[in-house]
Amino acid sequence: MVPPKSEEETQDAQRPAGQNGTATKPPVPALRPAAPEPAGKPRIWLWGALVLLGLGLLGGLSSRLWLGGAVPVVVEIAQNAPVTRVLAVNGRIAAVHSVDVSAVVSGTVVSLPVDEGEQVEANQILAQVDAAEQNAIVRQAMAALDAALVAQQKATEDYDRSLSLGSNVSKTDLEADAFAKQSAIQEVLRLSAFLDQARIALDNYTIRAPVAGTVLELEVETGQAISPSTNLLTLADLNDLVVEADVDESYATQIKVGQKAVLQLAGQTETHEGHVSFVSNRVDEATGGLAVKLRFDTPVAAPVGLTVTTNIIVEDRDAALTVPRTALVDGNEVFVVVDGLAELRPVTVVDWPAARLIATDGLTEGDMVIVDAAGITDGQEVEAETP
């Protein structure tokens, strides 16, 4: 244990320094003055703020310069080149010689000796209609004619007998026998004609091929009742085929007989050369289409009704300027790049259903045409790029 201090020691400790000639520690420690702030610290923060502000201003300026700078555009150089103007239409295979076969009599079909797809010769039997009633009419006509022939023979014999008797027969009786003979002859002629008519009618119950060809479609069956309005079958010559198509009336005046065409059958990759063989003189008011026919330069084998993609070559030019349809503004203007600026220029083009159009006026060879005019304005700064 620390011994307690004496009274004198306590008093000495409470005396201020210097009274007993001995330096003592102050009763309260002296406060240390605060260290002064470094002089350069506020300047560092100020310069940092200025740098950040400068970077922000520079970024904004760069952004504005980038937004307001030249817009890159794809261009193509206008050049004269051979051009073919083509009209694409879809057509179908058809036979040049095709007939719908029907009967001229009513009745029941009792025989169909042909099938669909079968080739037949001219005058070959295609169908047989029940002719029992007409056969009876023929037999009646034959019987009537036989009776008339007998009567004619008797009248002829009577006249010859009277004529041989000379003056022993009165003139009145001779004239009567002559009249009877003439009447019998006329009756035979009448009944002969009736029999011929009955036989012709009987022949109508047998349906024969009007031309050689292939049975495309058989539309009746054995036992079916028919009339003259009933189509029995369709017969066509598949050795002579054409393509039938309709051209929109907008281009009707530009399609001519003899124009070349490229034909492609559905399901095939190869193409066939052909030409326009027929152009109708009448536009269908209901559809607005003009009927045309195209022939193959080399015969082909194909089923009737097959779809054919047809490219009719309307015009060939040795040299012409063309522009893509996407370059057109309002159908009669394009943008060309002149001294780094987009210049709107009027042009004249041949309106045609194609991706590229012939420009007949407004462009010169070497012009840089902007391929896609979307979003471009006249006088806008652009940067041309070629594909």
Side-chain angles (χ1 to χ4, degrees):
M1 294 181 60
V2 179
K5 294 181 179 181
S6 63
E7 182 178 355
E8 291 180 359
E9 292 175 343
T10 302
Q11 292 176 353
D12 290 339
Q14 292 177 351
R15 288 192 189 99
Q19 291 184 2
N20 56 1
T22 303
T24 61
K25 294 181 180 181
V28 179
L31 294 177
R32 180 178 296 176
E37 288 288 334
K41 192 171 183 179
R43 294 182 180 179
I44 293 176
W45 282 104
L46 178 61
W47 281 108
L50 290 176
V51 169
L52 291 177
L53 180 60
L55 291 175
L57 292 175
L58 181 61
L61 180 60
S62 299
S63 176
R64 291 188 62 184
L65 290 175
W66 180 81
L67 291 176
V71 176
V73 292
V74 178
V75 300
E76 65 177 31
I77 308 302
Q79 292 181 343
N80 281 307
V83 177
T84 300
R85 189 151 55 99
V86 175
L87 180 64
V89 295
N90 285 331
R92 293 190 179 276
I93 292 289
V96 175
H97 304 291
S98 176
V99 293
D100 293 330
V101 180
S102 60
V104 296
V105 296
S106 298
T108 302
V109 177
V110 295
S111 175
L112 281 172
V114 296
D115 296 318
E116 264 188 33
E118 182 177 341
Q119 292 185 353
V120 299
E121 300 296 330
N123 208 41
Q124 181 176 331
I125 295 176
L126 303 177
Q128 182 68 54
V129 181
D130 184 9
E133 182 179 353
Q134 189 61 33
N135 275 320
I137 295 174
V138 170
R139 290 195 297 271
Q140 289 177 359
M142 292 177 63
L145 179 60
D146 289 342
L149 288 172
V150 171
Q152 179 186 2
Q153 183 177 3
K154 182 180 182 302
T156 300
E157 291 174 353
D158 290 345
Y159 175 73
D160 291 342
R161 186 182 303 110
S162 297
L163 189 62
S164 65
L165 293 175
S167 59
N168 293 326
V169 177
S170 66
K171 183 179 179 180
T172 301
D173 291 339
L174 183 61
E175 290 177 353
D177 290 341
F179 179 77
K181 176 184 176 181
Q182 187 63 34
S183 296
I185 294 173
Q186 293 298 326
E187 183 65 9
V188 168
L189 292 175
R190 184 183 72 82
L191 292 177
S192 295
F194 181 72
L195 177 60
D196 290 341
Q197 184 179 9
R199 285 173 172 168
I200 292 173
L202 178 63
D203 192 55
N204 288 334
Y205 286 79
T206 301
I207 314 303
R208 299 180 181 274
V211 294
T214 302
V215 178
L216 292 183
E217 187 175 6
L218 197 59
E219 300 186 31
V220 296
E221 297 180 355
T222 301
Q224 180 177 337
I226 63 170
S227 68
S229 63
T230 304
N231 188 44
L232 305 182
L233 54 87
T234 301
L235 191 64
D237 180 7
L238 299 185
N239 294 320
D240 194 5
L241 301 176
V242 295
V243 177
E244 295 181 343
D246 281 342
V247 174
D248 189 270
E249 60 183 345
S250 302
Y251 316 106
T253 59
Q254 302 189 54
I255 305 301
K256 310 294 182 184
V257 172
Q259 288 175 335
K260 295 181 179 180
V262 179
L263 311 170
Q264 184 177 25
L265 304 180
Q268 296 186 2
T269 56
E270 63 177 325
T271 59
H272 304 269
E273 294 184 355
H275 61 276
V276 178
S277 60
F278 168 80
V279 178
S280 176
N281 292 319
R282 178 180 178 274
V283 172
D284 190 325
E285 296 179 0
T287 64
L290 178 73
V292 299
K293 294 180 182 180
L294 303 101
R295 278 187 175 272
F296 294 91
D297 291 346
T298 302
V300 299
V304 170
L306 183 70
T307 300
V308 180
T309 301
T310 303
N311 289 325
I312 302 174
I313 300 175
V314 177
E315 181 185 12
D316 271 326
R317 297 195 183 192
D318 294 333
L321 298 176
T322 63
V323 294
R325 185 177 289 275
T326 55
L328 291 177
V329 179
D330 297 330
N332 58 1
E333 293 177 313
V334 296
F335 281 106
V336 296
V337 178
V338 179
D339 296 332
L341 300 178
E343 179 182 297
L344 190 60
R345 184 178 298 178
V347 294
T348 302
V349 296
V350 179
D351 190 14
W352 200 249
R356 298 190 67 85
L357 304 178
I358 298 174
T360 58
D361 190 28
L363 288 180
T364 58
E365 194 168 13
D367 284 340
M368 289 191 296
V369 180
I370 297 179
V371 173
D372 188 355
I376 305 300
T377 58
D378 191 19
Q380 183 176 0
E381 184 179 357
V382 294
E383 181 180 351
E385 298 179 354
T386 55

